[in-house]
Amino acid sequence: MVNIGVLALQGAVREHVTSIEACGANAVLVKRAEDLNGIDGLILPGGESTTMRRLIDLYGMMEPLRVFANEGHPMFGTCAGLILLAKSLVNYDQSHLGVMDVTVERNSFGRQVDSFEANLTIHGVAEDFPAVFIRAPHITEVGFNTEVLCEHNGRIVMAQQGQFLGCSFHPELTDDHRITAYFVNLVENHMKQKVKT
Ligand code: GLN
């Protein structure tokens, strides 16, 4: 059974834990840098990216998280988590972790539309996926080795760059665990490859 961490500083942590367990993997709360030892992949949840960033700095987790990424571990950012992963942010000089080759714009579906649901087709992952968007960001640009997995109303809302997966919405807020299962599978394949090499 693979161990999937959930960055547990703020945000929709519990729902990810439920979804991970529903997919038959072990969920581990990551509250401090040492919690990264022994996990095989990490989910960065939705919430408030600026608050999470403040807590990451406060607990000295920035460097350990970057090392975890550079070691090749799979990481999945949902909503604010995608903002944390992105290499660059529209209207901001600095990124946060800056490890995934995407440019992300925050709160980009308009203030008047705070939240909405949409049924999405996610290439190679799921058809008719019920996606919940809450003050969601979107991806404005992807690097050449980053695959766009889903667009909604002409905006990129999910992408993958090898080990990195990111989406604008909250896949953990419904009982549909197909996206979490896709990430668990990514982590399992990563572990198998590690055993081989
Ligand atoms: N708007 C939030 C941010 O910028 C993200 C919202 C979410 O994660 N649901 O961090």
Side-chain angles (χ1 to χ4, degrees), residues 136-150:
H138 85 285
I139 297 170
T140 58
E141 250 175 84
V142 297
F144 81 99
N145 57 353
T146 304
E147 194 188 347
V148 173
L149 298 185
C150 183

Side-chain angles (χ1 to χ4, degrees), residues 7-16 45-48 51-52 170 172:
L7 187 66
L9 301 176
Q10 189 261 342
V13 174
R14 203 162 15 99
E15 293 84 350
H16 274 298
E48 184 54 46
T51 306
M52 275 192 247
H170 285 260
E172 77 288 5

Side-chain angles (χ1 to χ4, degrees), residues 45-50 78-81 83 106-107 134-137 170:
E48 184 54 46
S49 55
T50 46
T78 64
C79 205
I83 297 169
R106 294 178 68 196
N107 302 322
I134 305 169
R135 290 184 300 283
H170 285 260

